[in-house]
mmCIF file of all heavy atoms in Angstrom:
data_model
loop_
_atom_site.group_PDB
_atom_site.id
_atom_site.type_symbol
_atom_site.label_atom_id
_atom_site.label_comp_id
_atom_site.label_asym_id
_atom_site.label_seq_id
_atom_site.Cartn_x
_atom_site.Cartn_y
_atom_site.Cartn_z
ATOM 1 N N GLY A 15 -84.408 -9.376 76.279
ATOM 2 C CA GLY A 15 -83.820 -9.352 74.945
ATOM 3 C C GLY A 15 -82.305 -9.317 74.898
ATOM 4 O O GLY A 15 -81.738 -9.155 73.833
ATOM 5 N N THR A 16 -81.634 -9.462 76.039
ATOM 6 C CA THR A 16 -80.176 -9.381 76.043
ATOM 7 C C THR A 16 -79.556 -10.770 76.187
ATOM 8 O O THR A 16 -80.251 -11.746 76.433
ATOM 9 C CB THR A 16 -79.699 -8.489 77.209
ATOM 10 O OG1 THR A 16 -80.087 -9.086 78.446
ATOM 11 C CG2 THR A 16 -80.267 -7.088 77.106
ATOM 12 N N GLU A 17 -78.236 -10.821 76.039
ATOM 13 C CA GLU A 17 -77.510 -12.082 76.166
ATOM 14 C C GLU A 17 -77.203 -12.429 77.615
ATOM 15 O O GLU A 17 -77.043 -13.585 77.964
ATOM 16 C CB GLU A 17 -76.205 -12.032 75.367
ATOM 17 C CG GLU A 17 -76.408 -11.889 73.871
ATOM 18 C CD GLU A 17 -77.090 -13.096 73.253
ATOM 19 O OE1 GLU A 17 -76.710 -14.237 73.589
ATOM 20 O OE2 GLU A 17 -78.015 -12.897 72.443
ATOM 21 N N SER A 18 -77.071 -11.396 78.460
ATOM 22 C CA SER A 18 -76.795 -11.605 79.879
ATOM 23 C C SER A 18 -77.226 -10.361 80.648
ATOM 24 O O SER A 18 -77.234 -9.252 80.097
ATOM 25 C CB SER A 18 -75.325 -11.906 80.126
ATOM 26 O OG SER A 18 -74.527 -10.791 79.772
ATOM 27 N N PHE A 19 -77.570 -10.547 81.898
ATOM 28 C CA PHE A 19 -77.960 -9.440 82.760
ATOM 29 C C PHE A 19 -77.974 -9.914 84.196
ATOM 30 O O PHE A 19 -77.924 -11.114 84.466
ATOM 31 C CB PHE A 19 -79.317 -8.860 82.360
ATOM 32 C CG PHE A 19 -80.464 -9.800 82.549
ATOM 33 C CD1 PHE A 19 -81.279 -9.714 83.664
ATOM 34 C CD2 PHE A 19 -80.745 -10.782 81.615
ATOM 35 C CE1 PHE A 19 -82.329 -10.583 83.858
ATOM 36 C CE2 PHE A 19 -81.798 -11.654 81.787
ATOM 37 C CZ PHE A 19 -82.592 -11.554 82.915
ATOM 38 N N SER A 20 -78.057 -8.973 85.112
ATOM 39 C CA SER A 20 -78.118 -9.285 86.540
ATOM 40 C C SER A 20 -79.359 -8.655 87.156
ATOM 41 O O SER A 20 -79.826 -7.606 86.690
ATOM 42 C CB SER A 20 -76.897 -8.746 87.275
ATOM 43 O OG SER A 20 -75.738 -9.411 86.872
ATOM 44 N N LEU A 21 -79.867 -9.311 88.175
ATOM 45 C CA LEU A 21 -80.980 -8.786 88.962
ATOM 46 C C LEU A 21 -80.577 -8.815 90.428
ATOM 47 O O LEU A 21 -79.882 -9.739 90.860
ATOM 48 C CB LEU A 21 -82.235 -9.645 88.773
ATOM 49 C CG LEU A 21 -82.875 -9.659 87.392
ATOM 50 C CD1 LEU A 21 -83.971 -10.714 87.338
ATOM 51 C CD2 LEU A 21 -83.446 -8.289 87.046
ATOM 52 N N THR A 22 -81.042 -7.843 91.182
ATOM 53 C CA THR A 22 -80.809 -7.861 92.618
ATOM 54 C C THR A 22 -81.772 -8.834 93.271
ATOM 55 O O THR A 22 -82.799 -9.205 92.682
ATOM 56 C CB THR A 22 -81.015 -6.467 93.244
ATOM 57 O OG1 THR A 22 -82.392 -6.110 93.123
ATOM 58 C CG2 THR A 22 -80.118 -5.420 92.582
ATOM 59 N N PHE A 23 -81.459 -9.237 94.475
ATOM 60 C CA PHE A 23 -82.357 -10.125 95.220
ATOM 61 C C PHE A 23 -83.736 -9.483 95.352
ATOM 62 O O PHE A 23 -84.752 -10.161 95.243
ATOM 63 C CB PHE A 23 -81.796 -10.432 96.606
ATOM 64 C CG PHE A 23 -80.581 -11.340 96.614
ATOM 65 C CD1 PHE A 23 -79.951 -11.765 95.459
ATOM 66 C CD2 PHE A 23 -80.063 -11.752 97.819
ATOM 67 C CE1 PHE A 23 -78.832 -12.598 95.497
ATOM 68 C CE2 PHE A 23 -78.946 -12.586 97.878
ATOM 69 C CZ PHE A 23 -78.335 -13.006 96.718
ATOM 70 N N ASP A 24 -83.778 -8.161 95.597
ATOM 71 C CA ASP A 24 -85.054 -7.460 95.739
ATOM 72 C C ASP A 24 -85.847 -7.454 94.429
ATOM 73 O O ASP A 24 -87.066 -7.614 94.437
ATOM 74 C CB ASP A 24 -84.831 -6.025 96.222
ATOM 75 C CG ASP A 24 -84.380 -5.949 97.662
ATOM 76 O OD1 ASP A 24 -84.589 -6.934 98.425
ATOM 77 O OD2 ASP A 24 -83.819 -4.902 98.044
ATOM 78 N N GLU A 25 -85.154 -7.267 93.310
ATOM 79 C CA GLU A 25 -85.835 -7.300 92.002
ATOM 80 C C GLU A 25 -86.420 -8.680 91.745
ATOM 81 O O GLU A 25 -87.548 -8.803 91.241
ATOM 82 C CB GLU A 25 -84.865 -6.917 90.887
ATOM 83 C CG GLU A 25 -84.471 -5.462 90.878
ATOM 84 C CD GLU A 25 -83.354 -5.145 89.892
ATOM 85 O OE1 GLU A 25 -82.419 -5.965 89.732
ATOM 86 O OE2 GLU A 25 -83.423 -4.061 89.289
ATOM 87 N N ILE A 26 -85.657 -9.712 92.073
ATOM 88 C CA ILE A 26 -86.140 -11.081 91.886
ATOM 89 C C ILE A 26 -87.385 -11.326 92.724
ATOM 90 O O ILE A 26 -88.372 -11.893 92.238
ATOM 91 C CB ILE A 26 -85.037 -12.102 92.208
ATOM 92 C CG1 ILE A 26 -83.949 -12.031 91.120
ATOM 93 C CG2 ILE A 26 -85.602 -13.515 92.320
ATOM 94 C CD1 ILE A 26 -82.713 -12.831 91.419
ATOM 95 N N ALA A 27 -87.366 -10.882 93.960
ATOM 96 C CA ALA A 27 -88.530 -11.044 94.844
ATOM 97 C C ALA A 27 -89.743 -10.321 94.280
ATOM 98 O O ALA A 27 -90.864 -10.855 94.306
ATOM 99 C CB ALA A 27 -88.200 -10.545 96.238
ATOM 100 N N ARG A 28 -89.534 -9.111 93.762
ATOM 101 C CA ARG A 28 -90.646 -8.345 93.190
ATOM 102 C C ARG A 28 -91.212 -9.037 91.953
ATOM 103 O O ARG A 28 -92.424 -9.191 91.802
ATOM 104 C CB ARG A 28 -90.176 -6.934 92.835
ATOM 105 C CG ARG A 28 -91.275 -6.030 92.305
ATOM 106 C CD ARG A 28 -90.771 -4.640 91.945
ATOM 107 N NE ARG A 28 -89.542 -4.608 91.174
ATOM 108 C CZ ARG A 28 -89.437 -4.863 89.869
ATOM 109 N NH1 ARG A 28 -90.510 -5.191 89.173
ATOM 110 N NH2 ARG A 28 -88.275 -4.802 89.247
ATOM 111 N N ILE A 29 -90.357 -9.510 91.068
ATOM 112 C CA ILE A 29 -90.782 -10.164 89.831
ATOM 113 C C ILE A 29 -91.452 -11.505 90.127
ATOM 114 O O ILE A 29 -92.513 -11.816 89.583
ATOM 115 C CB ILE A 29 -89.588 -10.370 88.879
ATOM 116 C CG1 ILE A 29 -89.064 -9.014 88.407
ATOM 117 C CG2 ILE A 29 -89.980 -11.247 87.690
ATOM 118 C CD1 ILE A 29 -87.682 -9.073 87.772
ATOM 119 N N ALA A 30 -90.833 -12.307 90.978
ATOM 120 C CA ALA A 30 -91.341 -13.657 91.276
ATOM 121 C C ALA A 30 -92.548 -13.643 92.197
ATOM 122 O O ALA A 30 -93.340 -14.579 92.206
ATOM 123 C CB ALA A 30 -90.233 -14.505 91.895
ATOM 124 N N GLY A 31 -92.657 -12.586 93.001
ATOM 125 C CA GLY A 31 -93.761 -12.521 93.952
ATOM 126 C C GLY A 31 -93.496 -13.302 95.229
ATOM 127 O O GLY A 31 -94.393 -13.476 96.053
ATOM 128 N N VAL A 32 -92.277 -13.781 95.371
ATOM 129 C CA VAL A 32 -91.858 -14.499 96.584
ATOM 130 C C VAL A 32 -90.443 -14.046 96.920
ATOM 131 O O VAL A 32 -89.652 -13.744 96.029
ATOM 132 C CB VAL A 32 -91.882 -16.040 96.420
ATOM 133 C CG1 VAL A 32 -93.293 -16.549 96.202
ATOM 134 C CG2 VAL A 32 -90.981 -16.490 95.311
#
Side-chain angles (χ1 to χ4, degrees):
T16 63
E17 296 295 315
S18 64
F19 66 99
S20 293
L21 294 172
T22 66
F23 289 6
D24 289 340
E25 289 172 322
I26 290 171
R28 183 181 46 78
I29 294 165
V32 295

